[in-house]
Amino acid sequence: MKALSIICYAIGCILLIISCFTVNVSLTWWLGGIAVVLLIGGCIFQFNVVKKKQYFNRH
């Protein structure tokens, strides 16, 4: 999960940067939307990693 969150963050950041330099408006929105979904996915995966660590440290 930790590696998956890092991959999602990296791809999301790259797509967000690329979307800033595209000329086509619809392509900008598609790339930006996919980037946001990947960044949110990275947050969710990171949250699950931290939650599992806390669970195993308590028990």
Side-chain angles (χ1 to χ4, degrees):
M1 284 279 203
K2 185 176 182 180
L4 192 57
S5 69
I6 294 170
I7 291 169
C8 284
Y9 281 139
I11 294 173
C13 288
I14 291 169
L15 285 177
L16 197 59
I17 292 169
I18 290 171
S19 74
C20 293
F21 296 105
T22 57
V23 178
N24 190 351
V25 175
S26 63
L27 181 62
T28 300
W29 278 94
W30 276 104
L31 289 176
I34 294 169
V36 168
V37 168
L38 285 172
L39 291 171
I40 291 171
C43 291
I44 292 170
F45 293 136
Q46 184 178 5
F47 175 76
N48 286 334
V49 167
V50 171
K51 191 174 179 182
K52 278 185 181 180
K53 279 185 182 179
Q54 290 175 350
Y55 176 77
F56 286 121
N57 286 338
R58 273 192 292 172
H59 293 96

